[in-house]
Amino acid sequence: ESTIIDCQSNGRGFYFHSGETSESVVSGFTITNGSVSGDELSDSCGGGIYCGNSSPAITSNIITNNFADNSGGGIFCIASTATIINNTITNNRAGGNGGGGICCWQAAPMIDQNTIINNWADANGGGILCYDNSSPTITNNTISDNSADWGGGIRCYWNGPSPIITNNTISGNSAIGSGGIGCGWWNDNVPIGPSLIIANNIIHGNLADSDGGIRCEKS
């Protein structure tokens, strides 16, 4: 809490893109006021932290008030198996594709024991977005009071993702469709992956114009 990385709305806090492993550890920081935009994913994703072709350990941080023009307001993972544990991820925003708190894009991070609250995505996944063949393990998190057009808490779609979503509390999230969890793609023929697991979660008090709790389509 006392070691603050204030990006002053000019770039992000951390940029992993050179094959970093779990020996690269980000722990004990407040990362705030990150802002990224541009034409490439590396320019427009990951307002707080960007993990591309790398798998750092991100533990026990406060990641707050960051913005990404495309995806991953707080954290963006592409081709990554990052470990994201025991962080508070709050008040982040993503435009474009989405993932207000965390976006997984062709990625399989471990997302465990985090508090993911009050994040916002213009399109998909207010709390977490799993996109384009992503298979994260999402366990033991509090995912609350996030909002998006689709999948207020968690949104999983496109090209067969197979996330594991277990032992989370998913509450108070809001969306046009799927307030809590939305899996699959509306009006498309791209199925969710065969190994999708949603088990032992507490899902309550979510709000949507349709499907307040869970919607799984073409799964």
Side-chain angles (χ1 to χ4, degrees), residues 14-131:
F14 289 90
Y15 181 38
F16 295 101
H17 59 102
S18 300
E20 294 89 348
T21 69
S22 59
E23 293 183 358
S24 293
V25 179
V26 177
S27 183
F29 296 100
T30 293
I31 302 165
T32 189
N33 295 326
S35 182
V36 293
S37 62
D39 295 330
E40 302 295 329
L41 291 180
S42 58
D43 297 328
S44 62
C45 298
I49 300 174
Y50 182 103
C51 305
N53 297 294
S54 58
S55 299
I58 302 167
T59 65
S60 302
N61 302 283
I62 299 171
I63 301 169
T64 184
N65 292 321
N66 300 289
F67 169 75
D69 184 55
N70 188 339
S71 300
I75 301 173
F76 180 76
C77 297
I78 184 167
S80 172
T81 56
T83 302
I84 303 169
I85 296 178
N86 195 37
N87 302 280
T88 297
I89 301 169
T90 183
N91 293 321
N92 302 286
R93 180 189 166 197
N97 201 33
I102 301 171
C103 178
C104 310
W105 191 318
Q106 299 175 358
M110 167 66 74
I111 302 171
D112 184 52
Q113 301 177 63
N114 301 282
T115 300
I116 302 170
I117 59 173
N118 291 317
N119 301 285
W120 176 32
D122 289 356
N124 301 286
I128 300 173
L129 172 61
C130 310
Y131 177 71

Side-chain angles (χ1 to χ4, degrees), residues 7 13 23 39 85 135 162-163 200 215:
C7 304
E23 293 183 358
D39 295 330
I85 296 178
S135 299
S162 298
N200 299 321
R215 175 170 177 165

